[in-house]
Amino acid sequence: MTDDSAAPPPSPATPAFQDLLHAQRVWDTELPSFDPAAVPPGPLPLFRTWFAEAVAAGQPEPHAMSLATADAEGLPDVRTLLLHEADERGWHFATHATSAKGRQLAARPHAALGFYWPAQGRQVRVRGPVARCTPAESHADLHARSTGALAAALTGAQSEVVGSVAELHRAADAAWDRARAEPDTEAPTWTRYVVEPAEVEFFQGDARRRHVRLRYRLRAGGDWTHELLWP
């Protein structure tokens, strides 16, 4: 039993912030329809269709997604990064194995992904175990991307403390020089991961709040079942 009287009162939001917050609107546009009776047997084709439709609708950075993991104490952590592939194996991303998320995945190899495409009022959520891809796949992943991506992978020790912005700039400049001079250079800790989906949920927003939520779940035999959820 806790003594709630000892807890400080919550800080009230300033009126200016509340006014700004409450003035925001969502989905001030015509949203697409979604017929859950006409979906494919598995989630991958639907995800690829929705992704293509998000691109066609002008959604900025539709490949950006939230990645949620848990640390050694089981506390949640989340960050935004880019999708590298979605195929029969699952949803792919990459990072340094020595980064905070890499260490968390080594200890607790499960994750959740979240995509939000407000241009169409859509969300997609993916949950499942995470597997490391092969070193060859990780190398190919890095070198299929831009010089800037390689430079970023070569800059410092991701998630570690850096002494100053000047130190960061010096390391980044050196990494850019190396990436240009040695485009095939290795970044030994760069690792491609794949979230192997156990659940995938598709959310279609509705201006009248009649949101449609469709969840796919993977059965023990390897096939998918799907069901509607209350919004």
Side-chain angles (χ1 to χ4, degrees):
M1 184 174 180
T2 60
D3 181 9
D4 292 337
S5 64
S11 300
T14 63
F17 177 76
Q18 286 185 336
D19 292 344
L20 182 63
L21 182 63
H22 295 162
Q24 304 310 304
R25 295 292 179 265
V26 295
W27 307 330
D28 284 341
T29 185
E30 184 175 351
L31 298 178
S33 61
F34 175 41
D35 181 5
V39 298
L44 180 61
L46 183 56
F47 177 83
R48 288 178 167 178
T49 295
W50 274 27
F51 183 87
E53 291 174 354
V55 172
Q59 173 64 54
E61 299 182 356
H63 56 328
M65 62 186 185
S66 298
L67 167 69
T69 54
D71 66 14
E73 288 74 41
L75 299 176
D77 204 352
V78 68
R79 74 288 289 164
T80 301
L81 69 173
L82 299 181
L83 177 70
H84 288 203
E85 175 64 286
D87 60 16
E88 289 73 16
R89 293 166 62 188
W91 277 251
H92 298 241
F93 64 93
T95 187
H96 288 284
T98 51
S99 68
K101 52 187 172 294
R103 296 193 301 270
Q104 290 168 1
L105 288 169
R108 296 172 179 265
H110 287 78
L113 304 174
F115 296 85
Y116 179 44
W117 300 319
Q120 295 194 299
R122 287 175 169 173
Q123 300 180 54
V124 180
R125 300 167 59 205
V126 182
R127 299 175 67 202
V130 178
R132 291 178 61 153
C133 297
T134 66
E137 289 175 304
S138 297
H139 178 83
D141 175 273
L142 181 59
H143 291 90
R145 302 175 71 207
S146 65
T147 301
L150 176 58
L154 295 171
T155 301
Q158 191 177 30
S159 304
E160 299 299 323
V161 175
V162 62
S164 66
V165 173
E167 181 182 350
L168 169 63
H169 287 182
R170 287 193 297 271
D173 290 345
W176 270 94
D177 290 343
R178 185 180 177 192
R180 292 189 185 103
E182 304 173 42
D184 293 326
T185 192
E186 295 281 355
T189 60
W190 186 258
T191 304
R192 181 159 169 158
Y193 296 86
V194 56
V195 179
E196 300 171 340
E199 293 184 6
V200 183
E201 181 186 322
F202 295 84
F203 173 101
Q204 174 62 69
D206 178 83
R208 295 179 61 186
R209 303 302 190 265
R210 300 169 303 183
H211 313 311
V212 178
R213 294 177 61 190
L214 179 75
R215 179 176 62 190
Y216 284 87
R217 290 191 296 170
L218 188 63
R219 292 173 171 169
D223 59 337
W224 291 93
T225 184
H226 59 266
E227 58 210 349
L228 288 173
L229 305 176
W230 283 99

